[in-house]
Structures are given as structure tokens and as C-alpha cells.
Amino acid sequence: MTDAAATNLDEIMLCFMHWHGIATFLRTPYRPDLADTDIGLIGVPSSSGNPVGRMQHLGPRAVRNRSAGNQKMIRSLEIDPFALVRISDLGDVPLPRILHPDMTADDIEAFYARVFAAGVTPVSVGGDHSITPPILRARHKHVGAPVGLIHFDSHTDAYTPSAATRNTAAGFRTAAEDGIIDPKRTVQIGIRGSVPSLEMDAWAFENLGRVITTDEFVEIGETRVIEEIRRVVGDGPAYLTFDLDVLDPAYAPGVAVPELNGLTTREIFRVVHGLRGLNLVGADIVCFCPPLDNAAEITAIAASELLLSFTCLIADRLATAGKG
Amino acid sequence: MTDAAATNLDEIMLCFMHWHGIATFLRTPYRPDLADTDIGLIGVPSSSGNPVGRMQHLGPRAVRNRSAGNQKMIRSLEIDPFALVRISDLGDVPLPRILHPDMTADDIEAFYARVFAAGVTPVSVGGDHSITPPILRARHKHVGAPVGLIHFDSHTDAYTPSAATRNTAAGFRTAAEDGIIDPKRTVQIGIRGSVPSLEMDAWAFENLGRVITTDEFVEIGETRVIEEIRRVVGDGPAYLTFDLDVLDPAYAPGVAVPELNGLTTREIFRVVHGLRGLNLVGADIVCFCPPLDNAAEITAIAASELLLSFTCLIADRLATAGKG
Amino acid sequence: MTDAAATNLDEIMLCFMHWHGIATFLRTPYRPDLADTDIGLIGVPSSSGNPVGRMQHLGPRAVRNRSAGNQKMIRSLEIDPFALVRISDLGDVPLPRILHPDMTADDIEAFYARVFAAGVTPVSVGGDHSITPPILRARHKHVGAPVGLIHFDSHTDAYTPSAATRNTAAGFRTAAEDGIIDPKRTVQIGIRGSVPSLEMDAWAFENLGRVITTDEFVEIGETRVIEEIRRVVGDGPAYLTFDLDVLDPAYAPGVAVPELNGLTTREIFRVVHGLRGLNLVGADIVCFCPPLDNAAEITAIAASELLLSFTCLIADRLATAGKG
Amino acid sequence: MTDAAATNLDEIMLCFMHWHGIATFLRTPYRPDLADTDIGLIGVPSSSGNPVGRMQHLGPRAVRNRSAGNQKMIRSLEIDPFALVRISDLGDVPLPRILHPDMTADDIEAFYARVFAAGVTPVSVGGDHSITPPILRARHKHVGAPVGLIHFDSHTDAYTPSAATRNTAAGFRTAAEDGIIDPKRTVQIGIRGSVPSLEMDAWAFENLGRVITTDEFVEIGETRVIEEIRRVVGDGPAYLTFDLDVLDPAYAPGVAVPELNGLTTREIFRVVHGLRGLNLVGADIVCFCPPLDNAAEITAIAASELLLSFTCLIADRLATAGKG
Amino acid sequence: MTDAAATNLDEIMLCFMHWHGIATFLRTPYRPDLADTDIGLIGVPSSSGNPVGRMQHLGPRAVRNRSAGNQKMIRSLEIDPFALVRISDLGDVPLPRILHPDMTADDIEAFYARVFAAGVTPVSVGGDHSITPPILRARHKHVGAPVGLIHFDSHTDAYTPSAATRNTAAGFRTAAEDGIIDPKRTVQIGIRGSVPSLEMDAWAFENLGRVITTDEFVEIGETRVIEEIRRVVGDGPAYLTFDLDVLDPAYAPGVAVPELNGLTTREIFRVVHGLRGLNLVGADIVCFCPPLDNAAEITAIAASELLLSFTCLIADRLATAGKG
Amino acid sequence: MTDAAATNLDEIMLCFMHWHGIATFLRTPYRPDLADTDIGLIGVPSSSGNPVGRMQHLGPRAVRNRSAGNQKMIRSLEIDPFALVRISDLGDVPLPRILHPDMTADDIEAFYARVFAAGVTPVSVGGDHSITPPILRARHKHVGAPVGLIHFDSHTDAYTPSAATRNTAAGFRTAAEDGIIDPKRTVQIGIRGSVPSLEMDAWAFENLGRVITTDEFVEIGETRVIEEIRRVVGDGPAYLTFDLDVLDPAYAPGVAVPELNGLTTREIFRVVHGLRGLNLVGADIVCFCPPLDNAAEITAIAASELLLSFTCLIADRLATAGKG
């Protein structure tokens, strides 16, 4: 091989200078008008759906700051997403009515209606988990059909609504009942933790396509987990939602509801990289609470690497589909 | 003098062992049924009224933890409140509908309706500043008349409501328009900071009895500030609301919206102690965000000392009025 | 299944609001008089037995604060301890003479004499490891026979006493020599770390029933470890003492003497849950130094989950034995 | 007055949501091409001139993040800079050769040559104090005359160069000797601290127009300090350089070389606001080390408020001079 | 003046590189054998006398680390102590029996017996306040007469002993009763804070030469405070003991028992520097809890600057007395 | 066995009191003159070769502080290095010209020329990775032949130089081209992470003896990794350089460039201990950024344990070779 420019130290170092310049997701151009964009990276700084943590609105900024050093490629995937498709930072969803969970959900839905209408595939950074249903609702209105769901989380987030609002961080039962997601094409990965009642997650276990607990994940191994995910969602369109608390808090301490006995980054990234080729119509990363991260910002780094990974998977799919 | 028990080191030390045992406010007995109580110390763990900070719901716990070492007397006031009246920790206001600001305000109001009906004088720990109007609303319904207000803050918190809710952390204009507080018997102390618009606080300056900015406070000095407060609120019933951000962030870093160029604890405590004898019908301390405090917990210590001070002032008043 | 109350989001969320209200262990009722109690949760805020760390007296408060969100059930065990037996927070052992290690040990012993006399099974939160021998001494005086010991730790804590006091954090050799524990029914799990002398732990290896080092634990696996523990302690009464430093510091950083190359929570909890059915007469969790924990409080969370686990195991045993 | 839009809570709150969206200095538009700009806000993320601290390159990002909530007006000055002139964020000076202090100085100088050539007045955020001489050198080459200097600092930063480089964080003696600044029109404010040798600052005291130590500042008061500054720099062009360590570390802990016994924000901001009307041709804020700041980010807040203040002073001057 | 070596940047910078090399107090030579020493800097890493904080044993290391950048002169005093007398770091007092407060006090006393016998003047860094009486006891045995005491503190530390030990952090009443200090030549400066009983400090007020509360300090000012100290201790030998909690926690957060409304560094250092010429026979700095300090280490910096100040005062005295 | 002194608690505890006394590496004697030394422990406080992190100069101090509690033996190796050879702390390399990377490299090289000339085997603590090439250059000039290299790292650090300097933290390609290391006897362990270009590490993969990525490490296991290292470096002299970022950031957060999906301490220490008997001519530990460590200092603890391990391996080799 030749001593190409890309192996020069100065160019390499620039990619690690995360603190330099204006911070955008993966140092992509900021295009609030959605122009020239195949994949849109979007911040949803909302903490209006979860009373726990309540620092999730600080997530997008923290991921921008750190992921500004992540305009990179994933070694094992050998995908350069920035060469394949046009990737932009679309900014944050404006949330002036953040104090009201229902109005906030409406604001999120309205923003994504524009995104889907423009033919942009969104990869979003929350915010708490209440941001996902309105995104999916916007897609549902655009497409008219439910979507499959790949849901990494230590909690099923599938309960009856709160007395205060339907738009909570645990809205996947409601999303299924509303026909927004297809429960049979929904797979949850990483469920664990002690429970307020032993029946708590019964709905999910009985109604979803597949629930892989952390215990089962460890027992069957990454390869089988990947196979199960592929089997459940199949070739149809699927959305990927990733709650950072699926990782063990030793690996991602900065989350709202840390659950012990979790998965390592090694286990999780193997599965994530195993999803190449699926028909992903969007993805999000939720639950990051920056003030609970450690000084080395390892949760921000994990979120940034996931952001890059999801972008790679989708870019690869779009390029393969001739859309890049 | 005699070598009384209270000067023995072991007894003294116990008062400093803030970490010992079950933490209640000022280590008072926990009486959720409101029995045997003249002054009720109450936590209001709400962050539903302010999008900034959003860690204020963690305030009551943090103040209980630290104030458990504050069952003390204030040297200069020479008031022993625990000998004068019956002081209890009434627990936290239950806030199951915390995601909805209006429902939360209703829950707060309902709790304080019980408190006032029981003849208990409340001293509350927030929570963001949205907790104060529902407390005053409960009192208003109980008494049928507006109350005077002594309002320490770096912000006037007197604006037209948010589109999302009337129950925000800036509800004092609304409270005045609703007849809950008497604007002419309202005094604000410590207003400062840069402003989004130069007209921002015009309503407060034009409609309230007195607004003493931090600049004016420093210019006229503590004695004059005390005189002004006494002049404005007079002998009638008055409520004291204390936003910790009136203190300079060097002295109270753990607040939602720190404003530079603030007041020192020395300046503030002189004024607070100068309010002895006023007809205080309740008090609160708001805006504490424990994760933003420093390792030495100096904001928690300031809040605890304010809690003790307000309790002393009210105990002294109740005892003088023959109610202790 | 039915859409039972316990799967409603509001009820679920309440279990996660660890900051709400007065903090007791696992949010159990505070019963300092020991009434109506089968299992008594007790804080022992002592740091008088270990010169390292010396923040262990802050442990009980920190575990109360976090475990207030842990009134839960363990998914895999399917035990609801709160339905089986009466569980109370008995408060902290009063330690006015904390500066003197021997007097403090006497104070602890006297407290537990009352506990055992009342027929209450104690689950304690330290404090450093010097709290365990006086608890066992109280039991020994009550019962008149030595007890088996299941001892999770990275250190054997079995040395000749300090010149300063016999009541140190390393008192298990002394406890064996005093006939308080039965060395042949004692098993240590997790021993590791570099050593001041290669003979340091010889006494333990030569005299105890079994010492399973971390290296051996990893080699033989959790199932074999469980079998070994069961084999050594048998059906007789056994006490479980858990030093948090048996966990790797990546999983439990907030300990006095972190030892690298430790066990993961996954490895440890599998073993702990495998102890179901043993005749546990008490348990404790020691060595937590809250100021060394990280912002996400993962050590406090681990301690809280262990507290719940030990309570489940004992509740199950008591219920099975017809005592719940 | 009318109930203008700018006193509506939602609009007010937006100004406090510092975490929202893409962070630029004072939330100004990002214009890397220098178009449509009167005042250019510039980051200079360099720590190549000071071996102490060495986190100053993280300063611009941290000030952008926090000052995104500072698009405001200063109450006492009654200046709305955003209405007076066109203010842009020009991004960071590219510093690919950051490891070499001399090459880095050249890169800084080249950037500012473009800025001055475009008629833009720069307000910069460092970086360590080595960023100031190359800025002034660029101006000198553009204008051909030395500039007056208003220098807030606890150190004179006026020494003979290091053996390693002339481009250190203490380059004001060199700048004077090179004719870039006019020492007679240079005033230093806030000098203090213990010294390696009593002669250390002799050059500054003997050669500069005026050195006001912190002791003298306190003795003569803010009004006299303002008068002295005005007297020394007169009506001619002057540059303002502000090392955050002039503030007491209680008020600005996040600096490379904290010096005790410093000035309060109250003292400093009174002087800064007293400089209105001076012919300021640029300004900078240096020495911020974000990892040394506290959780409440009070140093970032101080830097943001200084950035706003300097922008106001210059906007006012430009508008008065008919350039806005 | 000439461009002397000591104004060269490289030499100046070396004094600020506190992290470089082996850390000793003020970067003085380590001489555990007490040879060639006029002033001996000594660490006393004990936390055996105070149940609060219990991290004071970490103080000497933290002060060594930071004061390694403080081999300097005090600008206003114009004293170069390193040129006047021989100053050494004597290491830490060995405290193998740290768990026992009385044995520890004996170990401290024995160490200082050697120090005084060698004619060395000690300046010590604690450790909690229990280190001072054994130091004074050693001196008393050496000299045979009580000493005057200049005691900076927010607490009088003068109570009847604990049930657990006489060797507590509050031993000045005992020290007076034992004839070790002369109560009439004792002055306390900075007493304040809320109190467990109003009589708590009666003994100190009635029996000591002078107690200047913080309130009185602020009222009468630094000049009068200096005069009062000089009047009380006179020309006779006096020992200076400095509890860092006399400083306001905004200026020195890293202390065991922070008391609000304290003194600023500006106020304190003016008084300290005003003690020049007094017959100081030793000094100490106590109560530093490094884990409670902030990231900028402002408490460590304050302790280091006090260490330098006390060393200057004593060096000046020794040199004047012809002993340097 | 006998109850030897070394199993007495007081002696054991002393080894854990890391905060006591003057801190040197592994509490070895400080011998800046290189006398009586077989293994010299050396600090190289440089951050002049890497723009990322830039706190690596704080590493030696932090490792001294913590490793002062590590004068121990490694359980599994059963090596007591302190009994085998003479081990000293040689202090830090003086780096007065730290601002200039090339001059700093010269200063490092000159220091190690003295070390090798004295027949001392160096074990060094950085500093960033730019410290290794000058150490090897000094050895090369002393010996006249290239050395084998065992290189633990998540990055290959083998690129063409920066425009600013050849002396960067990524100088292993240059070192090979200069004939200082033998590329065919070089093995890299742990390479991973996302990359700025897919060709970035091509030079290393094509030119070095062996590159074992983290993925391959996990696949083949510790035993095979040890075999591969032994195969590549053989019996000839080899230098061991350990970048702490080879560890997963959950286990070593305090590094300049954390890379997810890393190796656990369990995996790494097994390999390190498997290197016994190799002909190690020196070793270093680099990349530690103390301000990014967590409160429990787990990175400092890991670095200390590695320092002990490398010292054991070399002491064993020297003793076997008859040099101890």
C-alpha cells in the first residue's frame, strides 16, 4: 500500500481533537433546512417524559461535544458512511413547551413529519425514552403502516400510561396498541433488574415478538442474539431504539436508571455490528444524563460510538439500496 | 456559669454527626399525620415548573441529610425554637403526577390545604419556584385574603405564563393578578443579572411594593434593606420565599440558574436575622440542585442554616403570640 | 394475565423515585423499638476499626438514600420478601464513643444483644468490617454456639490484632480463636490482590474450611462456587458477611481498599442468588465509602441490590421455616 | 409600558436554555467566512504557551456551551449589542501544529491578519495567555502602530522568554520590546500572589504606565481604578486582555494558576462596566481550564458574562462611532 | 535594576510546576534525622480525634503536593525565609496505633519531644485538631512553662472531654486545665456558627484572654484584630494554631465542619501577615479534608500559602533573634 | 507455619497507608544520584507530544501517591522484588524546556543516557507516549543495537511525524525507521477503535512482527497471546511499553484517548504475569491523565499495580541473571 495522506499524524490527530471548533454530531455540516441530506442527525433535548434522572435534555449537547471527534470509520465494518451518503446535523427539535409532556410530544412529532416528508432517515439523540413514540407516530402518519422495532433496554418500557400523560418514557405498549409499532416484529434485548411486581413486564413477554433478557443474552451469546433479532424483524422496515441503560453501569454510568448486572460494551457492539443489512428506517439513543457521567465521559464516548455505528449501518443500507 | 451537660463534648459532637440515623429536617420527629405540630417542615420534590436545572426535586432529600446536623440555635438570635414550639417533619408532598405541571400544582395545593386547616405553619423545601404559588393558593382559600411577600431572588419570577402551563417557576405576576399575594405588600430583594430584554422586569418594578436590586442592596446596606422590608410588609401576615440563587454562586453553587455578582452569606443572613418579629405565616427555600453542589455541600449547608433561621423566626413569633 | 395494578406506570415509577420522602432501608417502616419485626435492617455507621478509607461511617445513610427505591422483588428468585415477613428499619446503632474502637465494639454488641433477644434476624449495613465480630459476639452470647460464616471479600481479614485494639476490621482470626465463628464452617470467597508478605494469609488458608480466591472462582465458575459454599457451611446456622471490595472496582469503586482484577456483579450475584435455602441467621454489607463512589452512585446501587438480595434469602428461609 | 413579547416567559426561558441546539458564542450565527460581521467572536484553543494547567485549549468549547444562554443585555449598561452591530462566531483558529509553540503563534497571527483585514473587531476566548501577543502582532502589522493595553491579571506575565520559545503565556515584556504594545499606555490590574523572587515583577513596575496590585485596588476602590485605567490608556486605541485568574479562586476556580486573595466578581464587573466609551480595538479572555471548574460551572459563567460585557462595550463604541 | 536570573521565565515557571518531582512541604529537603534544621515542617496524618470528616489524615500529602509549588516569598512581607534559616521537611509522625486516640496522642507527643530537644521550631500540617495538645504537651515538658496561644477557628474547641478519650479535636479547655497553655494569653479569632446550646462556649468566653467572634472581627476590622492579638499574647512565647474552617467555605470548602458566614482569605491573610515580630514558637494548620476540596484545590492552595506565611513569620523572628 | 511478623495486622496495615509520609514510587528510597540501584523508577512528567488530554505530565505524581501503598509482592508470581535487587526512585526527569517537544525529547534522552551508563534498568512512568522513543534512543546509543518491543496499546502509534515535530506520542514508525526498535521483534497488543481512515494502521500491520488486535486477543485468549509475544520477541533484549488506554475505560478511565470495547484488568494482568523470564531491558507506563480518573483512583491503582508487576518481572530476571 502507499503512504496515503490518511495515515499522516496531523490528519489523524485532527480526528481526535473533539474540543475544536463548533460541535456538531460526528462533525457533520449543520443543515437546519434539511437540504442535501440523506441521514439527518437530530437532537431531542427532552426530559419531560421521565421523572427519574431529569437531566436527559442535556444529552444532545454532550454527545455533540464528544462525537465531534468521531468522524471515523468502524474498523470491523469497513464502512465509510461519509463517503456513501450525505449526512447532516439538523440541530435540535425546538421544544418551547417542554414543561408540558403532551405538547412536547406534539412538537417532536411535527418536527419529524418534516424530516420524513423530506425523505431523510433520522438518527436521533435524546432525551428520555418518551421521544421515540412521537418519532414513530410521525413515520406512521407518513407511511401508513406500523414498523418493526429493535429495542435495546434494561426495561421493557411497555406499561399502561401515567395518570399525568400518555407521553411517558415507557410508551411502547401504547405504541403497539395505537398500531404504530408491530408488536410481533418487535424484539427487546437486555431486559433485567429487580421489579416492583413480578407481573410488571408480563404484557411485553406475552405480546412482543421476542424479549431477550440479559440473563438469556449471556446464556445464548451474541451470535444467537443477532439471529433472533434478524428472525423477528425480518426484511421489513425496522426502527432501532437504544436505551443506554442496557449497558452495565460500569460501562455507561451516566444514565437515569442504572441497572446492575448489565451487558458490556463488547457484548453490545458485537450485536449492533451484526445488524448490518437490516432495513433500518431510523434509530435513536436515549437516556443519557451527562451530569451522572464520570470525568472521562465514558458514557458520552459510548453514545458517540453508537451514533457512528447506527449511521454506518443506515448509510450502508441506503448505499446498497441505491439511495446514497 | 456551671459546667452544664450541653457543653460536654459528646453531646456537642452528636449535633454534628449529620450522617447518623434516619434523616429528617433539623432531626425533628416525622409526623405525617400532622399531630402535635406547630411548625411543619415539608419537602416538595418538584421540578415540574422550570426547564432549567431540573434536579430541584432532589432538594428535600439533600437538605434533610445535611440539616440532620442542624438541631441548633442561632448564636445571635438566642432563640431555641425546639424549646418554644412543636416542630415536626411532615414528609414530602406526594407527587405521583409529577410529569404534568398543572396536576402537580393541584397536588401541592391539596396537601397545604390540610396543613393550613390543621393550624400548622409550614416551612417548605423545594423543588423549583413553582411550588410557592400553590402553597399560597391553599392559604388564600383557607384565609380568604392575600398575603404580603418577602421574596429573596436574583430573578423577579413575575412574567406572563408559559404556553405550556400557568404553573411555572415564575408565577408571581399571576399570583398577584389572582389576588393571592398583595403586590403592594410584596418586596423583592436581590434582583440582578443580565436580561433577555431590558423590559423583562418592568411589571415587577411598576407593580410591586418594592424591588431592591443587588446593586441597591450593596449601596444602601443591610440595615436599610431590613427597614425597607419591614416598611413594605408592615405588621400584616407575610410569607417568605427564598430562592437560593440570590446568593452569589461562590457561596451557593448548587442552583438551577446561577447569577454572578450576587450577595454573600454574610449580607443575606444579616438581613434574614433582621426580620425577627414580623408576622410570618410560612416560608420556603427553593431552587436547590444537589448534583450541582460541590463536594463540601456548601449549598446544602446554606439551605439547612436558612431552614433553621426561618424556623427560629417563626417559632419566636408563635411563642410571642402565645401559640407555641 | 390481567392488567393488574402493579403493571401501571405510576405505581412502577414510584418505586424508582428513590429521592422521595424519608429515606429508610428498602423504604421499610422505621421501628426503633423492634416491634412487629422479623427482619431488622440496621445501620452501623462506624469507621473506628480501619485506618484506610475512614468514610465508612457514611455508608448507612447513602444506602438508605438509594435503597429507598428498592422495595422490589428479584426477578429470578421470584421472592416478594415484603409479603412473606415483617421487615423494618431499626435505625442506626448509637455510637457516641466512636473515637474509641473498643468502646464502640461494646456499643455494637449491646445493641445486637437486644436484637437477638427480640428474635429479630439482622441484616446490617456498615461501617467498616470491624462491625461484624461484635454482632457475632452478641449472637454467640445469645445462642451459646459458634456460627458458620460465608465471607465475601478480597482480603481474608484474619490477622493477629493491632497493638491499638483487638476490634479491627480484620478480626476473623480472633473471632475464630474466641469460638465465635466455626473456622471449619467458614468459607471465604474472592481473596486476591498483591500482598505485603507472601505468608500474610497463611492462617486463613490453613485454618478455615475453604478459601476460594478470585483466580479459583474464575477458574471453577459460579456453579462450583455455590456448591463449595453449601458444602462447607452445610445445614447449620450461617452468617453472611459481604465486603464490597470483593467486587472489581470498575463495578464498585466506592470502597476503602479497592483491589484490581476483581469479580463482576454478574459473577457475584449469580453466587448470591445461589445461596437460597441456606440457614442464614444474619448478614451484613461493609466497606462502603460514599465519597469515593462515582456520580451515578453505582456502589450505592450495588449495596442496595445486595441488601434486597440478602433480605429475600432470609425472608424465604423464615417463611419456609414457618416464621414469617 | 406595554406587555411586550420580550417579557413573556417562554421567550425569557429560551434565553436560559443554554443546552439547546448548536452552541456558538452568545448564540450568534456561525460565519467562518467573516461575512456580515462587525464583531467577531473567536476561539483560540491553545495550551502551547504555558506548562501549567494545560487544559486551556478546552476553554472555547466550554464558553460556547454556556454562553449559548447569554444572548442578553447588561442591566446597568442598557446596551443591546445585538441590535447595534452584526456579531458572529467566526469559529476556532485552526491549530494543526499545536505541539510547536512558535508554529502555533504563527497560525494565530495569520488568522487574525485576515480578521483585521476584513475590518472585524475580534473578541477572543483562549487558550492560555500566549494567544494575545500574536493577535496584537497581527494588528500591529495591519495598523503599523503599537496599541494601549488594559491587562487584568494576577500575574504581570512580563518576563524574558523561555529557553524553549518566545511565544509563552508571559509575553508582554517581549511585546513591549517588539513595539507591539505601548508600555506607557499599558495598565495592569490585579497583580498579587507570592513570588519566586522579590524582583520578579520589577520590569513591569518600572516600565509600564501603571500597575495596580490587588492590594492597591482594594485600597483605592473601583472608581479610582477606573479613573486610572482611563488616564493611562487615554483616547487612543486600546486592547483589553483578561486573565480569569485576576478573580479570586472562590469566584473563578477553573484557572491554570489560581492566586488567593483575589478580586470578587462584584469588584471586577464594576470596573469592566466602567470602561464604556474607551476606544477598544479588541479583547480576549484567557486561562480558563474547564476540568478545574466546579459542577455549577461558575468559571464558565463568569467567562460568558465577561464575553457579553466586552461585546457590549465594543458594540457601543462601534455604534457611537457610526460603524455599527 | 538588572535583568537578574530570578526574573527569567524558566526559573519562574519552575516554581509553579507543583507536580514535578518528589513532593515535600514547600519543596524543602527531606531530613527525617532533624539535621541542619531551624524550622521543621511536619505532617501529622491523624483523624483519630474527630468523628466528623475523618479524612484529615489525608491532609499532609495534599499540602505537600500543592505546596511543592510554593517555595516563594510573600510580596508584602518581603521575607525570603529560605535565605534566612534552614528549613526542612521532617516527614510525617509515624502513627501505627492510629486506631487508638490516646496511643496516637502519645506517639505525636514523643515525636515532638525529639523535635523540641533538637532545637527545631515546628510548623505542622494536620490532621484534625487533636494533634495540637500533644505538640504543646511535648513543648511544655521541654520548657516547663505554659505557652500563649493564637487560635484561628470557627469553633472554640474548648469542652470537657469525650467519654471515649481526652485526646479529642476539642482539647483546649483540657490543655488550659493541664497548664499547657496559658488561658489568659490565649486569643481565639473567628468563632461563629449555630450552636447545640447557647452555653456551649461559655467556658471559653469566661476563661480565655480574648475571644473575637467572626461578627466582631468584621465589625472592628483587621487592624484592631491584630492589635488585640498582640495585646493578649504580648512578647512571650506563643503558638499559632489555625483551623482552616475559620475561612468561609466559599474560600476553603475542604474542611471537616464547614461554617457559613466566615472570613475571606483577604481578611485572614491581612491579620496573619500582621503578626510579624511575635515570638512564635511553633504553628500548625489543621482540619483539611482533601476529598471535600474542589477540583481547583483551593483549600490546598490556602493551606500551602498559610504554611509559607507561618514559615516566613518564624524565619523572620529566628533571623532577628540571631538564630537563623 | 509460624505466626511470623509479616502477618501481624499493624505491619500489614502500614502497607495500605498510601497517604503516609513522602511519596516515592513503591515507597522505594529516593536516590537521585543513581547510587545503589539495580532498577530505577523514573517519572517523566511530559505532555509535550500529544495534543489530546494534555494532563499526562501529572501522571508521575499521582502514581507515586498511590503506589506508596504498593511495596508488595504479587501473589501468583511469588516474587519479592525488594529482596532480590536494589530498587530506587530516581525522581523525575527535569524538563525545563517542556514547551518545546524536540528540546524535551533531548532532555529525556540525556537523562536516560546517564541511567543506562550507570547500568540501571529503568521502569518509567509518563507522561504521554512521546517519552518512549527518546528512552529507546538513549539505550540505542549505549548499546548500539535495536531492541525488541512489547507494546500494549489501543493505538499503533506508528505514523509519519507531525508537521510540528518528530517527537510525538505516535513515534514507533519513526523509531523503527531510525533503527532504534527492531520492527520484526515488535509485537503490539490491544489495537482497536474506530479510525479516521481504514488505511491508518496499514504500516504497522505490514511492517511489525505481530499486531494482535483486541478482537483477536479475545478470540485466541490469554495463553495464546502470551505465546505469540514470546515467539516474536524471543530471547533477545526487549522493552515493554504500556499505554493505559489498552484497558477498557471502565477499568482505566483516566487516560487521554479512551477507546471502548477494551480489555479487562483480568485479561491484561494474566498476559503481563505470563511474560516472566523474558529479557526485559526496561519498561514504561504512559498516558495517565489523573484529572480524568474517578474519585476512587482506579486508574492510579492500575498503574501502580503494573509498576509493581514490571518491577517484579525485571527483578526476577536480574536475580536469575545473577545481577540482583
Side-chain angles (χ1 to χ4, degrees), chain E residues 80-94:
Chain E
D80 179 351
F82 309 100
L84 293 178
V85 296
R86 298 167 305 170
I87 308 171
S88 312
D89 186 323
L90 305 184
D92 280 356
V93 179

Side-chain angles (χ1 to χ4, degrees), chain B residues 126-148:
Chain B
D128 65 49
H129 224 155
S130 71
I131 71 163
T132 307
I135 295 173
L136 297 177
R137 211 175 294 138
R139 186 190 175 277
H140 185 255
K141 289 186 182 165
H142 179 66
V143 174
V147 73

Side-chain angles (χ1 to χ4, degrees), chain D residues 135-322:
Chain D
I135 295 173
L136 297 177
R137 210 176 295 139
R139 186 191 175 276
H140 185 254
K141 289 184 182 167
H142 180 65
V143 176
V147 75
L149 190 71
I150 304 170
H151 178 187
F152 291 86
D153 206 329
S154 68
H155 311 94
T156 64
D157 286 1
Y159 313 117
T160 55
S162 163
T165 171
R166 293 186 90 228
N167 290 291
T168 72
F172 291 105
R173 176 172 176 172
T174 306
E177 291 172 348
D178 289 353
I180 289 168
I181 62 169
D182 178 351
K184 291 307 165 208
R185 289 186 57 240
T186 290
V187 54
Q188 295 190 324
I189 307 108
I191 306 305
R192 68 175 180 278
S194 293
V195 282
S197 92
L198 293 170
E199 296 75 33
M200 184 174 90
D201 297 310
W203 185 89
F205 279 92
E206 291 173 14
N207 291 281
L208 299 182
R210 185 77 161 90
V211 178
I212 303 173
T213 65
T214 291
D215 279 350
E216 189 185 356
F217 184 118
V218 174
E219 190 187 323
I220 66 177
E222 292 94 353
T223 307
R224 281 282 308 283
V225 170
I226 294 167
E227 290 169 1
E228 283 295 279
I229 296 171
R230 290 180 168 278
R231 183 183 63 74
V232 173
V233 301
D235 294 332
Y239 185 86
L240 194 164
T241 186
F242 191 99
D243 188 321
L244 285 160
D245 68 22
V246 75
L247 285 162
D248 191 275
Y251 291 85
V255 297
V257 187
E259 293 288 350
L260 293 184
N261 296 315
L263 294 160
T264 67
T265 47
R266 190 186 287 174
E267 290 165 333
I268 282 293
F269 275 91
R270 283 187 176 177
V271 170
V272 166
H273 293 170
L275 303 183
R276 187 174 188 168
L278 286 179
N279 184 6
L280 294 177
V281 299
D284 62 47
I285 300 161
V286 300
C287 196
F288 180 24
C289 291
L292 301 180
D293 207 357
N294 61 10
E297 301 188 330
I298 67 174
T299 314
I301 294 171
S304 297
E305 190 75 9
L306 287 165
L307 181 62
L308 176 63
S309 295
F310 299 163
T311 301
C312 281
L313 293 175
I314 292 174
D316 179 59
R317 173 74 181 182
L318 291 178
T320 306

